[in-house]
Amino acid sequence: MVLWRVPTPVPASQHRFKYSLYFGRHGIRLVGFDNERGKGDHCHLDGQEYPYHFTSAEQLIDDFLREVMRRLDDDQSLDPDQAKR
């Protein structure tokens, strides 16, 4: 997770944060939230891109972690306890 406070909004965003949050496995992005210049706030979930409504840095982190946990809960191969069996 990288989150910066910037002096002026990134083009296509309305707030003063620039961010890039990433979760992946084997070089594949499973969850990503960012506000790329010109694209604005959006997220990447399982290979698809969706608009994201930014409200606060705290909510952004909560939303990101919620999506990561969904994938961890759904994929037992990511669970170290499962690997031991």
Side-chain angles (χ1 to χ4, degrees):
M1 288 189 268
V2 180
L3 177 69
W4 302 270
R5 181 179 292 269
V6 292
T8 58
V10 173
S13 292
Q14 303 300 313
H15 52 82
R16 292 181 33 201
F17 290 97
K18 169 72 177 137
Y19 59 90
S20 178
L21 291 75
Y22 171 90
F23 171 75
R25 186 172 139 212
H26 305 298
I28 298 170
R29 175 177 49 197
L30 300 174
V31 178
F33 284 68
D34 66 281
N35 61 336
E36 182 179 335
R37 180 179 214 81
K39 284 180 113 176
D41 304 295
H42 60 282
C43 63
H44 304 265
L45 304 171
D46 305 312
Q48 299 292 317
E49 185 175 311
Y50 303 95
Y52 176 71
H53 179 70
F54 182 95
T55 57
S56 70
E58 294 82 5
Q59 187 63 53
L60 168 69
I61 293 168
D62 286 348
D63 292 342
F64 172 74
L65 292 175
R66 183 174 25 271
E67 292 297 337
V68 168
M69 292 309 298
R70 281 185 186 156
R71 277 131 192 99
L72 290 173
D73 289 343
D74 289 345
D75 189 346
Q76 292 183 357
S77 67
L78 294 174
D79 183 350
D81 291 332
Q82 291 292 326
K84 294 176 187 173
R85 296 182 189 166

